[in-house]
């Protein structure tokens, strides 16, 4: 390479000059190189994949959690007889043949069956069976057998060999079997009392969402193999007894032990995309794994070893003494372009110079009752509430609790008195503990938590909490309980989220954004107001925000965040009048309706919103008409996407009788059949605007045999003021020509009837004349 950064390829002799080089005296650096991905495949012999007989001359083989060491050791030896594999680096060829191993594989054919099944490997069989069915029949966990261990060569790594000096070899069966016998010998001896022997209690996460007994898991100890138990018990004993360390130090190391439990159990699995171990609870459930992996205790590399778990404790203590925050390099670059040239990556650590105070108090108890905190004594409450039934924290925490209790029950007898985490006052929607109405229990407990926060806050204090906006129904429950406890929304702030919940890759999905809610105590009783009046206030304010939000959008603020800001502003108005917003006299405008109405009015304000449904129509009617605008059938995915974030589910429309689902398609009801369904029913029940509209249209179908005037003149029929506009809408935007034609006839008949019954119409209009406002 010359001084200008040019170099000559030793292979072809061509001179290259398109690499950036920095010249510093006589030394030249090419900067950071990008790591290259190398495809790697481990091909296991088909003979091993076929499995083995269930017994030998000495009796049945082991391999399951309840089997003794001798039978399991024989099983491991038997399985190893046909074990051979080859490590292929690079793209797989169509045929791999290794004569010395007796290995021949057509790589286009996979020997891995579909998810949650296993297949018979006999050439004439190939039958698949569900794993859970087989396990349920045996009543124990699936027999396991090791087939590979990854090793590390420091010298190869130092020489720069591919894959960082790592390679695979057959497992050391003798060493593994030795751990089986040692655990069996010591578990009721010197290691007794250092491992949990309690049963897995009945719960939603353990018996309903993922039935662990069907997979043979009956006790917490079943989630660990003997080798792991041998390690865990000795680590725990050392933490509690070795050396002359203070209890505070031992508690800190117990935190590392808790993390180590998560990284060393039979629910850890191999992540082929990331080429690493994935710990238990990477997807927040108890899902048994088929590709189990474990790391050794004290290696220099690999995820989940003891050193990596301890490092987190040390780093946490260092951060507490000298805190730092990550500042995005884009932000630094916008302030100092010259400095940005020397930065790499996404962000830089910036020291804040505000070490954590040592005077903080930590309480263990229920948020529904904190007697040690005086009323109106705090300026700020910050919390992160549970999200309905999405995560059942106590049932997940039991995995750690049953181990930590062994070390802490004598030190903290009141807190660790029970065999499991306390669950009576857990604010979650749990079908196992509250099968009749889990959502009502969740809302009731959450309201009590908010009420306690209300009690300890000063009159001008603030309550702030974040909510991951990934599910609609839990969000409705959180807001309702918040408002019922006497709070109103002061402001909402969207922030980008990097967390995952629920289902998806490895059981999780990315949450698009979070919302920080800032709330105040409601001091005075809310002023009664009609939704019509409140809606106009919201529209005016959102329009005032439009120019400001467009500036933020131009600067890169995503549209989803803008929608959160707009909806947050609308919810602020509603929360100030919560419990006293009316859609008509005597009928409160619920939070569910408010969310749907806010969603609708924001849709109306969009430039691409199209033709808005009649403004006088009820909110669910307006939602429904937007979905079925000139349509009689809507794909289920489209329906769900449209309703997401509104708090409304398709089942609501089905319950009203407006549509029905068949083969993943929601079909608009037949107006004629809808009208016939009202035969013999009391007309007082026909109060919804769309019910009246669909009835009138159905009655005007050709040869319906129904008389419209009989219903209109019925003394129990209360006409909805939105019906004329809805008939006009259906006459031009109904889903079929037959519906449009019937709507035009109904419109004429209804107009004629209106002219003859003005007194009744005036009485109906009064429901929109609340508080001096006309809709």
């Amino acid at each position: 390479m010359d001084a200008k950064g040019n170099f000559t390829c030793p292979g072809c002799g061509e001179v290259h000059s398109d690499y950036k080089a920095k010249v510093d005296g006589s030394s030249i650096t090419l900067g950071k190189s990008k790591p290259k991905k190398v495809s790697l495949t481990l091909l296991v012999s088909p003979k091993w994949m076929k499995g083995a007989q269930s017994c030998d001359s000495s009796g049945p083989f082991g391999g399951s959690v309840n089997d003794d060491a001798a039978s399991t050791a024989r099983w491991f030896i038997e399985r190893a007889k046909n074990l051979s594999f080859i490590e292929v680096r690079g793209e797989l060829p169509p045929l791999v043949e290794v004569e010395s191993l007796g290995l021949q594989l057509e790589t286009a054919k996979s020997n891995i069956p579909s998810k949650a099944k296993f297949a018979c490997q006999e050439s004439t069989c190939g039958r698949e069976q569900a794993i859970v069915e087989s396990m349920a029949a045996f009543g124990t966990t699936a027999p396991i057998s090791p087939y590979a261990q990854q090793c590390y060569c420091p010298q190869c790594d130092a020489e720069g060999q591919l894959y960082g000096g790592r390679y695979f070899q057959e497992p050391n069966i003798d060493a593994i079997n030795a751990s089986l016998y040692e655990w069996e010998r010591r578990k009721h001896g010197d290691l007794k009392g250092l491992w949990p022997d309690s049963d897995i209690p009945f719960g939603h996460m353990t018996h309903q969402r993922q039935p662990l007994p069907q997979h043979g898991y009956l006790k917490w100890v079943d989630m660990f193999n003997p080798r792991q138990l041998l390690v865990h018990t000795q680590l725990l004993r050392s933490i509690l007894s070795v050396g002359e360390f203070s209890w505070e130090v031992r508690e800190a190391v117990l935190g590392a032990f808790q993390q180590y439990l998560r990284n060393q159990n039979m629910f850890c699995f191999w992540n082929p995309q990331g080429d690493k171990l994935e710990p238990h609870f990477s997807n927040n459930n108890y899902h048994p794994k088929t590709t189990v992996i474990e790391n050794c205790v004290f290696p220099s590399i690999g995820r989940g070893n003891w050193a990596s778990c301890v490092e987190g404790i040390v780093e946490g203590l260092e951060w507490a003494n000298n805190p730092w925050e990550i500042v995005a390099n884009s932000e630094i670059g916008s302030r100092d372009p010259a400095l940005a040239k020397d930065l790499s990556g996404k962000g830089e650590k910036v020291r804040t110079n505000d070490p954590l105070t040592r005077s903080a108090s930590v309480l263990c108890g229920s948020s529904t009752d904190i007697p040690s905190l005086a009323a109106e004594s705090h300026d700020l409450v910050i919390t992160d509430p549970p999200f309905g039934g999405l995560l059942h924290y106590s049932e997940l925490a039991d995995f750690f609790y049953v181990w930590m209790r062994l070390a802490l029950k004598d030190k903290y007898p009141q807190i660790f008195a029970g065999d499991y985490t306390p669950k009576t006052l857990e604010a979650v929607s749990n079908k196992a503990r509250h099968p009749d109405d889990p959502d009502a229990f969740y809302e009731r407990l959450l309201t009590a938590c908010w009420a306690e926060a209300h009690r300890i806050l000063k009159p001008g204090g603030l309550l702030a909490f974040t909510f991951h906006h990934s599910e609609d129904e839990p969000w409705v429950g959180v807001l309702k309980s918040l408002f019922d406890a006497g709070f109103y929304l002061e402001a909402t702030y969207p922030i980008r989220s990097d967390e995952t919940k629920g289902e998806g890759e490895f059981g999780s999905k990315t949450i698009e954004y979070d919302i920080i809610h800032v709330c105040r105590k409601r001091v005075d009783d809310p002023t009664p107001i009609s939704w019509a009046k409140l809606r106009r206030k919201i529209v005016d304010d959102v329009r005032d925000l439009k120019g400001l939000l467009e500036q933020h959008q131009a600067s890169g603020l995503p549209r989803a965040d803008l929608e959160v800001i707009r909806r947050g502003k609308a919810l602020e108005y509603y929360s100030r009048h919560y419990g006293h917003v009316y859609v008509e006299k005597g009928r409160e405008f619920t939070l569910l309706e408010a969310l749907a109405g806010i969603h609708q009015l924001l849709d109306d304000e969009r430039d691409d919103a199209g033709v808005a449904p009649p403004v006088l129509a009820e909110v669910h009617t307006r939602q429904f008409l937007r979905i079925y605008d000139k349509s009689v059938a809507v794909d289920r995915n489209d329906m769900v996407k449209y309703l997401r974030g509104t708090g409304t589910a398709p089942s609501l429309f089905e319950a009203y009788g407006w549509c029905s689902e068949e083969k993943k398609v929601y079909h608009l009801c037949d107006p004629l059949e809808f009208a016939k369904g009202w035969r013999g029913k009391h007309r007082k029940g026909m109060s919804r605007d769309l019910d009246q509209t669909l009835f009138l249209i159905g009655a005007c179908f050709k040869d319906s045999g129904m008389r419209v005037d009989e219903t209109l003149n019925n003394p129990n029929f209360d006409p909805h003021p939105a019906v004329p506009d809805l008939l006009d809408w259906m006459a031009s935007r109904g889903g079929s020509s037959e519906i449009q034609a019937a709507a035009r006839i109904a419109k004429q008949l209804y107009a004629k009837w209106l002219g003859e019954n003005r007194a009744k119409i005036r009485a109906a209009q009064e429901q929109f004349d609340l508080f001096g406002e006309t809709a």
Side-chain angles (χ1 to χ4, degrees), residues 723-736:
V723 169
D725 292 341
L726 288 174
L727 289 172
D728 188 56
W729 166 277
M730 298 294 281
S732 60
R733 311 194 72 81
S736 68

Side-chain angles (χ1 to χ4, degrees), residues 258-571:
Q258 179 172 287
Q259 286 301 310
Y260 191 67
L261 290 172
R262 182 175 177 240
N263 284 277
Q264 297 298 333
N265 57 76
M266 297 303 288
F267 287 75
C268 299
F269 62 103
W270 185 251
N271 174 353
Q273 289 81 20
D275 192 29
K276 60 184 178 181
L277 175 149
E278 288 291 339
H280 184 27
F281 292 138
S282 58
N283 53 3
N284 295 312
N285 62 38
Y286 289 102
H287 181 65
K289 306 300 189 296
T290 55
T291 54
V292 181
I293 184 174
E294 61 185 279
N295 200 350
C296 56
V297 190
F298 303 115
S300 57
I301 63 172
R303 185 178 187 182
N305 57 48
W306 176 252
S308 66
C309 295
V310 173
E311 285 171 0
I313 303 299
V314 176
E315 291 172 356
L317 294 172
E318 291 176 346
W319 184 91
N321 292 323
N322 191 8
W324 49 262
E325 297 290 348
I326 294 293
V327 178
N329 284 343
S330 58
E331 176 67 19
I332 297 175
S334 65
R335 297 179 180 231
D336 191 340
L339 182 61
K341 297 178 181 179
D342 297 325
L343 301 177
S344 62
K346 296 182 179 180
E348 296 290 331
K349 290 183 179 179
V350 176
R351 299 291 175 181
T352 59
N353 298 320
D354 58 342
L356 297 187
T357 177
R358 302 295 182 183
S359 61
S361 299
V362 179
L363 306 176
C364 182
S366 172
S367 298
T368 61
D369 184 22
I370 316 176
S372 61
L373 302 182
E376 298 187 354
S377 59
H378 285 66
D379 297 290
L380 176 65
V381 171
I382 301 176
T383 184
D384 187 8
F387 312 136
L390 191 61
L391 289 178
H392 299 260
Y393 298 95
S394 65
E395 294 182 8
L396 299 176
D398 276 340
F399 174 83
F400 303 102
Y401 178 89
V402 293
W403 281 91
M404 303 302 284
R405 179 178 180 271
L406 302 175
L408 300 172
K409 61 182 179 180
D410 293 333
K411 186 70 175 180
Y412 307 105
Q414 291 184 333
I415 297 175
F416 290 93
D419 290 336
Y420 313 108
T421 57
K423 299 175 176 63
T424 304
L425 293 177
E426 184 182 23
V428 294
S429 178
N430 190 298
K431 297 178 181 178
R433 296 198 294 272
H434 307 283
D436 295 334
D437 196 346
D439 292 338
F441 177 84
Y442 163 68
E443 188 176 309
R444 187 165 62 252
L445 260 291
L446 197 56
T447 302
C449 294
W450 295 132
E452 185 67 352
H454 189 281
R455 182 187 68 82
I456 68 174
L457 269 178
K458 295 178 181 178
L462 294 176
L463 166 69
F465 68 94
T466 180
F467 193 85
H468 307 284
H469 196 259
S470 58
E471 303 289 338
D472 301 329
E473 292 184 10
W475 193 49
V476 174
V478 168
L479 289 179
K480 186 177 186 303
S481 64
L482 178 74
F483 299 157
D484 286 341
F487 286 99
Y488 69 88
L489 279 176
E490 176 73 17
T492 54
Y493 303 95
I495 56 174
R496 306 305 294 175
S497 175
D498 60 355
E499 294 198 23
T500 53
K501 305 280 183 185
E503 299 299 324
E505 185 183 8
F506 304 124
S508 302
K509 65 180 178 182
T510 300
I511 296 171
E512 186 176 6
Y513 49 84
D514 297 344
I515 308 174
I516 296 177
H517 299 76
V518 180
C519 312
R520 288 191 185 275
K521 298 170 66 172
R522 183 182 290 119
V523 180
D524 301 321
D525 290 335
T527 304
I529 193 172
S530 68
W531 168 242
K533 181 177 180 180
L534 186 59
R535 184 182 186 280
R536 280 193 294 277
K537 285 187 175 183
I538 294 173
V539 169
D540 291 342
D541 205 61
V542 168
R543 285 174 179 169
D544 290 340
L545 280 174
K546 186 175 182 180
L548 178 62
L549 295 180
E550 287 175 348
Q551 293 179 16
H552 286 292
Q553 188 171 22
S555 64
L557 191 64
R559 179 170 180 172
D561 288 349
L562 298 175
E563 289 302 305
V564 173
I565 295 172
R566 286 150 55 94
R567 181 162 54 181
K569 178 59 66 176
L571 275 172

Side-chain angles (χ1 to χ4, degrees), residues 24-43:
D24 182 14
S26 61
S27 64
I28 300 175
T29 59
L30 294 176
K32 294 182 178 180
S33 62
K34 293 183 178 180
K36 295 181 179 179
K37 291 185 177 181
V38 177
S39 177
L40 185 149
T41 307
L42 197 66
L43 299 177

Side-chain angles (χ1 to χ4, degrees), residues 554-606:
S555 64
L557 191 64
R559 179 170 180 172
D561 288 349
L562 298 175
E563 289 302 305
V564 173
I565 295 172
R566 286 150 55 94
R567 181 162 54 181
K569 178 59 66 176
L571 275 172
E572 289 172 25
Y573 276 106
Y574 174 80
S575 69
R576 285 175 168 82
H577 299 275
Y578 175 74
H580 294 268
V581 182
Y582 299 91
V583 66
E584 60 186 19
K585 282 188 175 180
R587 179 181 160 196
E588 183 185 339
F589 196 61
T590 67
L591 175 60
L592 192 65
E593 290 177 310
L595 286 172
I598 288 169
H599 184 78
Q600 282 291 314
L601 69 87
L602 295 181
D603 270 354
D604 294 345
E605 292 298 305
R606 287 202 340 256

